[in-house]
Amino acid sequence: MAGATTSTHSAIVKPNVHQEISDAVFRNSDFIPLFRQVNSGGGSSYDVKVVTAANGSAEVYVEDQNVPDPGYQQVITAGASFKHFRVFTRVTGHLRRQVGADWDSQSWPGAYGGSDVEMAKAKEDLVDLVNTTFLGTAAHGVQGIIDASTAFYDQSRSTYTALKSYEKAGSAALSAALMDRLVHETYNAPYGGRIQLLLMPPAQARKYSALIHGKLALPSAGDAAGSGAAMLPPWAGIPALEVRDLAATVILGLSGLDSAWFFVVHEPAPGGISILPYGVQADAKINQISTAGALICTQPNAQGKLTTLGTT
């Protein structure tokens, strides 16, 4: 049967396309916002002065006892090297024309929903890299800072044992006894910490919720202020957060959150992120987006960690 159909007139069928691009890629911004931020002011590292041994001449004495040799406080410098991060974007002139933007525009109209998706998402990729790097186990990461053996920045904990954090290998499922040990042994000598915040990955948050409630429970719908980390029920009054991308087998206990911990931003550009145009390559415009910083803890001894916890 003759006549107009969707097949004969497919060229004029109106497309129905959502004008904004959704994003199926998870990018972590949970961790760094937990800490106050300060500017570096320059330099290649941020140095921390730490007393690692007390005056050894303190004594109980009796009448007419000889005077001992005077002692002194042993002070060392631990240097946290700044970590530098960057990401590149490259946009061709052909793409620029087809999305209807001029070279100097920071906005791409049409299908991009009014934003330059390449620049915007590249910045998020950079933030993700910063967060996941400082969540790591190297000397500059939070798991390396809270440790009994990994170097504290550039100083050996074997040489300076006062730098050791409390660390307990669980080797089993999370229990109330392990949680209490983390809190009380971190408080005990020689560590002297008072845990003010608990950080745990989703694998341990499941175990923790079951421990608190006697059954599996979802994290709170609320997030920590300025962070995507989800709030969990407190342990003995200590706030607890679920932090994505933290190693699955650990729980961290942070002391001196307002005084001993902070993040040093080593990029003076506004917002701590620099955009450096690399010029034109063929008909493409290239940009470098970069930042730098260091996670600082001035009291490594006052921190605690549970490790090798079961995840099933």
Side-chain angles (χ1 to χ4, degrees), residues 168-175 178 200-208 247-251 306-312:
K168 172 64 178 177
S171 303
L174 183 64
S175 65
L178 283 171
M200 62 190 74
Q204 296 308 318
R206 290 188 294 108
K207 301 292 185 181
Y208 177 80
T249 59
V250 305
I251 292 179
L306 297 177
T307 65
T308 61
L309 294 168
T311 58
T312 58

Side-chain angles (χ1 to χ4, degrees), residues 69-134:
D69 291 334
Y72 61 93
Q73 307 293 323
Q74 182 182 63
V75 183
I76 66 166
T77 299
S81 298
F82 292 115
K83 298 299 173 185
H84 299 256
F85 307 86
R86 67 180 180 178
V87 62
F88 286 87
T89 64
R90 181 179 183 272
V91 177
T92 67
H94 284 64
L95 174 59
R96 174 182 58 81
R97 296 183 190 100
Q98 292 186 34
V99 298
D102 59 66
W103 274 123
D104 296 324
S105 175
Q106 293 298 309
S107 174
W108 291 10
Y112 285 94
S115 66
D116 182 341
V117 70
E118 285 299 321
M119 291 292 286
K121 293 303 178 183
K123 289 178 183 178
E124 293 180 16
D125 293 335
L126 191 69
V127 169
D128 173 81
L129 180 59
V130 172
N131 277 270
T132 55
T133 297
F134 288 112

Side-chain angles (χ1 to χ4, degrees), residues 132-177:
T132 55
T133 297
F134 288 112
L135 276 167
T137 59
H140 56 264
V142 67
Q143 294 180 72
I145 293 171
I146 305 176
D147 202 79
S149 57
T150 301
F152 176 61
Y153 301 133
D154 59 355
Q155 294 290 357
S156 168
R157 296 194 215 228
S158 297
T159 302
Y160 302 107
T161 58
L163 298 174
K164 291 186 176 185
S165 307
Y166 173 73
E167 183 175 342
K168 172 64 178 177
S171 303
L174 183 64
S175 65

Side-chain angles (χ1 to χ4, degrees), residues 7-303:
S7 296
T8 62
H9 286 63
S10 60
I12 63 170
V13 172
K14 181 180 178 181
N16 198 2
V17 180
H18 186 60
Q19 289 300 299
E20 293 185 3
I21 298 176
S22 62
D23 192 352
V25 177
F26 169 70
R27 297 172 178 87
N28 196 317
S29 59
D30 293 355
F31 183 58
I32 298 302
L34 297 176
F35 305 96
R36 61 188 175 95
Q37 297 188 13
V38 300
N39 294 321
S40 71
S44 61
S45 66
Y46 192 93
D47 294 342
V48 177
K49 307 293 184 181
V50 186
V51 175
T52 57
N55 187 326
S57 67
E59 65 177 3
V60 177
Y61 74 103
V62 297
E63 187 178 12
D64 290 332
Q65 181 173 326
N66 289 333
V67 175
D69 291 334
Y72 61 93
Q73 307 293 323
Q74 182 182 63
V75 183
I76 66 166
T77 299
S81 298
F82 292 115
K83 298 299 173 185
H84 299 256
F85 307 86
R86 67 180 180 178
V87 62
F88 286 87
T89 64
R90 181 179 183 272
V91 177
T92 67
H94 284 64
L95 174 59
R96 174 182 58 81
R97 296 183 190 100
Q98 292 186 34
V99 298
D102 59 66
W103 274 123
D104 296 324
S105 175
Q106 293 298 309
S107 174
W108 291 10
Y112 285 94
S115 66
D116 182 341
V117 70
E118 285 299 321
M119 291 292 286
K121 293 303 178 183
K123 289 178 183 178
E124 293 180 16
D125 293 335
L126 191 69
V127 169
D128 173 81
L129 180 59
V130 172
N131 277 270
T132 55
T133 297
F134 288 112
L135 276 167
T137 59
H140 56 264
V142 67
Q143 294 180 72
I145 293 171
I146 305 176
D147 202 79
S149 57
T150 301
F152 176 61
Y153 301 133
D154 59 355
Q155 294 290 357
S156 168
R157 296 194 215 228
S158 297
T159 302
Y160 302 107
T161 58
L163 298 174
K164 291 186 176 185
S165 307
Y166 173 73
E167 183 175 342
K168 172 64 178 177
S171 303
L174 183 64
S175 65
L178 283 171
M179 290 299 300
D180 282 342
R181 182 182 288 269
L182 172 63
V183 172
H184 293 287
E185 291 303 322
T186 302
Y187 170 75
N188 196 9
Y191 307 104
R194 287 182 179 270
I195 292 178
Q196 296 174 312
L197 181 66
L198 294 164
L199 302 180
M200 62 190 74
Q204 296 308 318
R206 290 188 294 108
K207 301 292 185 181
Y208 177 80
S209 295
L211 190 65
I212 291 285
H213 297 288
K215 58 182 179 181
L216 293 179
L218 293 174
S220 168
D223 295 334
S227 166
M231 293 184 292
L232 296 167
W235 181 268
I238 301 171
L241 295 178
E242 181 177 358
V243 180
R244 295 167 288 198
D245 286 323
L246 186 60
T249 59
V250 305
I251 292 179
L252 306 178
L254 280 64
S255 298
L257 192 61
D258 296 328
S259 56
W261 288 93
F262 51 96
F263 186 79
V264 179
V265 179
H266 193 48
E267 173 53 63
I273 293 180
S274 169
I275 300 176
L276 176 64
Y278 261 55
V280 177
Q281 179 191 61
D283 77 333
K285 187 176 182 180
I286 302 174
N287 285 299
Q288 173 187 279
I289 307 170
S290 64
T291 190
L295 179 63
I296 301 299
C297 176
T298 61
Q299 293 180 296
N301 57 295
Q303 317 305 318

